[in-house]
């Protein structure tokens, strides 16, 4: 035996054997290549739905952390591709933005968008292009947004006065609710100057209803036969919410028509969004004739896309600063040095508040209010590792992209100064590791407005009130389509400026 082990014949025998084994593995791996992108094990009928739990973006983040930046999913019978890295997003958007410019239409969306007359979910085509142009040139242009600054000022003052009154009475307040009230009133006021406090409240309820329904996974959307049964009772809720919103819109539009007849269009030459939409609808020269349904659903889009998201971001920013007292101190010093203590911060001050701008950017990186950009392929796409059929859903998980470790040092750390080091990083969707407002054709048209509202509200809260305590705030995220803090921000506000700036003392 000893002899055999050392015999040259053994090497001659082993060599071909090794070759055979190696060859077996090489051909086997060629025959059954590792599927790229990977896909977790799916279950019959439901596919991967069992892997998705609220908050949805966190479930999706766990999937890309485990299976790689691109994951193939089956949501019931709907095939979907999940994208969770900056590089993969860049690959797709840079080359195929136009082919990914549709959005998946779920039952709720169809319902709330008046059978797809809306803008945010309109198929990529002539109507969407018309509305996009109207958004950029008029509805949400800097000119319109600047012209309606007086509405934002009015609503900010109302918020600050409520907080000051609570401070004087040493009473607590739910700041989360008050911020949502402020942003909804801003959108209501900008939509139509004639909106009453009751209208804003009705709009807030409608937004809450829409967010709850869209934020829950409707099984009927993914498992065809279940759609007949409405097991979750969502269809009934959808009808209720839409009927209430429709009644609100009818009221608003009637009062608008009346004020246009008696006082003419716009206040001091500044048209509100409804004026712009009605002017476009009445203009027979326009390439698209807007219908009443188009107008109503655009307004609902703006309410749902713009109110909770801006309120949530303001709250996250303040909560992060409270948990990072050094950064709060820095932001406050900048405000005091730039604005002083005798007058209230104004939108025109923002350009000089460089650190505060960085705070908002960092907040939107870590807590992107709209954490997922959903798209649908308009045609077949074959690109590197991607293979998409027409109609496939693509989920860009902005939440994952914004914390991609390849591009961000200590991605989970809240550190606004990183945006001072890289001043180039903007909201424009050109840097694919920072996409809080999405990217490409369907990126958010409300960026300018959102950033104005958030930054001024945050600055005013820091300027006028004391914040912080011994305990750190809980930063858990709640469920829903907008990332809100899980726990309401209940606090005892304490005014900081004595006397308060004169603007706050008036009625
Ligand atoms: C913090 C605030 C906000 C955030 C984080 C945010 C984020 C986003 C994101 C990620 C998208 C999807 C982009 C994509 O698919 O690439 C989007 C779309 C959209 N947003 Fe915003 N948004 C905010 C505020 C607003 C405001 C204030 C408005 C309007 C007043 C608005 C109106 C819209 C509309 C209409 C769309 C759909 C655009 C389309 O499909 O073409 N958003 N937003």
């Amino acid at each position: 035996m000893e002899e055999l082990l050392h015999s040259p014949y053994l090497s001659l025998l082993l060599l071909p054997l090794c070759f055979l084994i190696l060859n077996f593995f090489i051909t086997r791996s060629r025959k059954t290549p590792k599927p790229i992108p990977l896909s977790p094990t799916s279950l019959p009928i439901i596919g991967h739905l069992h892997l998705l739990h609220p908050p949805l973006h966190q479930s999706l983040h766990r999937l890309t952390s485990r299976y790689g930046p691109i994951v193939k999913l089956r949501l019931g019978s709907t095939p979907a591709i999940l994208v969770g890295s900056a590089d993969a997003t860049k690959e797709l958007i840079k080359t195929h933005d136009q082919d990914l410019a549709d959005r998946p239409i779920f039952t709720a969306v169809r319902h709330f968008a008046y059978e797809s007359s809306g803008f945010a979910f309109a198929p990529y085509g002539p109507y969407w292009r018309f509305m996009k142009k109207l958004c950029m040139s008029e509805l949400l242009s800097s000119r319109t947004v600047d012209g309606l600054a007086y509405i934002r000022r009015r609503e900010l003052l109302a918020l600050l006065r409520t907080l000051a009154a609570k401070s004087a009475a040493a009473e607590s307040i739910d700041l989360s609710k008050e911020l949502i009230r402020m942003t909804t009133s801003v959108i209501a006021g900008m939509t139509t100057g004639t909106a009453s406090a009751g209208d804003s409240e009705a709009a807030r309820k409608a937004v809450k209803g829409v967010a709850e329904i869209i934020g829950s996974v409707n099984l009927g959307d993914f498992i065809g036969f279940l759609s007949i049964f409405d097991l979750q009772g969502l269809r009934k809720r959808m009808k209720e919410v839409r009927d209430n919103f429709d009644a609100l819109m009818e009221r608003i539009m009637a009062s608008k028509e009346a004020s246009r007849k008696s006082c003419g269009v716009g206040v001091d030459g500044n048209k509100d969004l409804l004026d712009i939409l009605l002017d476009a609808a009445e203009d027979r020269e326009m390439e698209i004739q807007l219908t009443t349904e188009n107008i109503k659903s655009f307004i609902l889009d703006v309410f749902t896309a713009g109110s909770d998201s801006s309120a949530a971001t303001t709250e996250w920013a303040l909560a992060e600063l409270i948990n990072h007292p050094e950064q709060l101190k820095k932001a406050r010093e900048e405000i005091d040095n730039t604005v002083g203590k005798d007058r209230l911060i104004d939108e025109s001050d923002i350009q000089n508040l460089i650190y505060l701008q960085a705070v908002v950017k960092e907040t939107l990186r870590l807590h992107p209010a709209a954490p997922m950009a959903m798209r649908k392929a308009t045609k077949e796409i074959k690109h590197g590792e991607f293979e998409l059929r027409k109609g496939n859903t693509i989920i860009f998980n902005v939440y994952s992209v914004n914390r991609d470790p390849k591009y961000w040092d200590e991605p989970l750390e809240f550190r606004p100064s990183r945006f001072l080091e890289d001043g180039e990083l903007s909201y424009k969707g050109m840097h694919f590791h920072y996409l809080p407002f999405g990217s490409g054709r369907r990126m958010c048209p409300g960026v300018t407005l959102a950033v104005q509202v958030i930054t001024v509200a945050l600055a005013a809260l820091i300027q006028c009130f004391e914040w912080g305590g011994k305990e750190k705030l809980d930063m858990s995220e709640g469920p829903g389509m907008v990332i809100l803090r899980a726990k309401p921000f209940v606090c005892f506000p304490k005014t900081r400026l004595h006397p308060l700036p004169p603007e706050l003392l008036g009625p």
Side-chain angles (χ1 to χ4, degrees):
M1 185 68 178
E2 186 79 354
E3 271 171 31
L4 186 65
L5 280 177
H6 292 102
S7 121
Y9 297 110
L10 183 72
S11 325
L12 280 177
L13 206 80
L14 279 181
L15 211 66
L17 194 66
C18 289
F19 178 76
L20 275 176
I21 291 171
L22 204 68
N23 196 34
F24 170 78
F25 279 111
I26 288 174
T27 45
R28 204 176 89 122
S29 72
R30 267 199 208 128
K31 269 187 204 147
T32 52
K34 242 183 168 187
I36 298 175
L38 292 179
S39 184
T41 312
S42 67
L43 297 180
I45 303 177
I46 64 169
H48 296 107
L49 284 178
H50 63 295
L51 299 176
L52 307 184
H53 311 282
L56 207 56
H57 58 277
Q58 285 190 15
S59 295
L60 298 175
H61 184 65
R62 281 193 290 277
L63 287 177
T64 42
S65 305
R66 173 149 183 216
Y67 293 97
I70 311 159
V71 179
K72 236 172 142 175
L73 295 175
R74 201 162 50 74
L75 310 175
S77 53
T78 310
I81 295 281
L82 166 65
V83 183
S85 79
D87 288 348
T89 304
K90 184 174 175 182
E91 278 279 293
L92 265 185
I93 300 260
K94 269 208 134 175
T95 347
H96 293 286
D97 182 38
Q98 184 167 340
D99 312 328
L100 297 171
D102 263 5
R103 293 203 192 276
I105 304 284
F106 302 119
T107 313
V109 167
R110 210 174 302 121
H111 213 79
F112 293 133
Y114 291 82
E115 301 306 319
S116 212
S117 318
F119 168 61
F121 289 88
Y124 180 68
Y127 171 69
W128 177 84
R129 276 195 290 274
F130 173 79
M131 287 305 292
K132 176 80 177 185
K133 213 159 92 191
L134 198 60
C135 268
M136 302 327 276
S137 63
E138 291 209 56
L139 288 163
L140 296 170
S141 69
S142 311
R143 189 161 46 92
T144 307
V145 171
D146 290 349
L148 297 173
Y150 70 96
I151 286 168
R152 297 190 292 280
R153 183 80 177 171
R154 182 183 75 198
E155 299 306 332
L156 177 63
L157 287 177
L159 168 75
L160 299 176
R161 283 194 197 115
T162 307
L163 289 174
K166 290 286 176 188
S167 165
E171 282 172 7
S172 71
I173 194 167
D174 182 342
L175 186 63
S176 318
K177 245 192 203 154
E178 294 303 323
L179 283 171
I180 288 182
R181 186 165 291 151
M182 180 195 74
T183 51
T184 315
S185 302
V186 164
I187 302 275
M190 290 182 67
T191 299
T192 171
T194 57
S196 64
D199 290 340
S200 298
E201 191 54 26
R204 200 181 57 74
K205 281 196 185 130
V207 171
K208 192 162 178 273
V210 172
E212 276 168 11
I213 293 166
I214 295 193
S216 46
V217 174
N218 180 359
L219 293 175
D221 280 331
F222 302 105
I223 305 168
F225 70 90
L226 289 184
S227 61
I228 327 166
F229 303 113
D230 190 24
L231 291 176
Q232 297 153 282
L234 287 174
R235 224 176 304 139
K236 189 163 161 268
R237 280 281 295 134
M238 281 176 216
K239 186 168 171 346
E240 260 168 40
V241 172
R242 207 193 77 172
D243 287 352
N244 288 341
F245 176 75
D246 199 56
L248 166 70
M249 275 316 293
E250 287 291 332
R251 247 186 354 258
I252 288 181
M253 287 180 80
S255 117
K256 183 53 142 182
E257 296 282 4
S259 87
R260 276 161 75 89
K261 273 197 195 117
S262 59
C263 321
V265 174
V267 176
D268 297 336
N270 294 309
K271 291 185 195 173
D272 56 42
L273 305 197
L274 201 47
D275 280 323
I276 297 172
L277 289 163
L278 288 171
D279 281 355
E282 285 161 11
D283 185 346
R284 298 285 145 213
E285 305 286 299
M286 287 280 177
E287 65 249 50
I288 300 254
Q289 281 319 134
L290 288 184
T291 63
T292 308
E293 265 68 40
N294 292 146
I295 294 178
K296 286 180 184 171
S297 59
F298 179 82
I299 302 289
L300 184 58
D301 278 350
V302 168
F303 270 119
T304 40
S307 49
D308 284 10
S309 53
S310 306
T313 309
T314 313
E315 183 178 331
W316 281 114
L318 187 62
E320 285 288 6
L321 290 178
I322 290 172
N323 284 354
H324 297 86
E326 274 308 302
Q327 295 168 0
L328 175 59
K329 189 165 163 253
K330 216 167 153 182
R332 178 167 280 159
E333 278 170 7
E334 184 183 56
I335 294 168
D336 286 348
N337 292 337
T338 314
V339 183
K341 293 180 179 175
D342 307 327
R343 69 172 178 90
L344 185 65
I345 174 120
D346 186 74
E347 284 188 359
S348 60
D349 293 309
I350 294 179
Q351 56 179 327
N352 301 319
L353 300 173
I354 307 302
Y355 186 70
L356 195 78
Q357 289 177 33
V359 168
V360 175
K361 280 188 175 165
E362 177 69 339
T363 304
L364 280 160
R365 183 186 71 78
L366 264 187
H367 310 286
M372 293 164 293
M374 308 270 268
R375 306 286 189 86
K376 193 169 87 178
T378 53
K379 64 178 199 187
E380 191 169 321
I381 300 173
K382 279 196 178 143
H383 184 102
E385 296 172 6
F386 298 99
E387 238 180 75
L388 291 155
R389 297 233 173 91
K390 187 176 171 191
N392 280 182
T393 295
I394 300 99
I395 307 169
F396 292 103
N397 196 2
V398 172
Y399 177 84
S400 307
V401 166
N402 281 5
R403 39 184 80 197
D404 186 333
K406 179 169 171 194
Y407 292 90
W408 299 102
D409 272 354
E410 306 286 346
L412 305 186
E413 189 183 79
F414 182 80
R415 188 163 56 82
S417 59
R418 62 174 96 230
F419 283 92
L420 302 177
E421 290 147 22
D422 189 349
E424 291 289 295
L425 267 177
S426 74
Y427 296 119
K428 291 184 185 154
M430 311 299 281
H431 301 95
F432 292 86
H433 54 294
Y434 185 59
L435 300 177
F437 293 98
S439 180
R441 282 170 178 72
R442 294 219 69 153
M443 85 167 273
C444 177
V447 185
T448 317
L449 173 60
V451 175
Q452 290 273 32
V453 171
I454 295 162
T455 319
V456 176
L458 179 64
L461 291 172
I462 298 172
Q463 187 192 20
C464 298
F465 299 92
E466 298 289 358
W467 299 102
K470 282 185 209 115
E471 281 178 29
K472 289 227 169 200
L473 290 181
D474 181 342
M475 301 299 266
S476 327
E477 297 173 341
M481 66 172 191
V482 168
I483 310 189
L484 298 162
R485 283 178 64 250
K487 297 217 170 114
F489 197 135
V490 180
C491 59
F492 285 87
K494 224 168 108 194
T495 41
R496 167 178 176 253
L497 299 185
H498 302 284
L500 280 166
E503 304 95 305
L504 276 175
L505 297 171

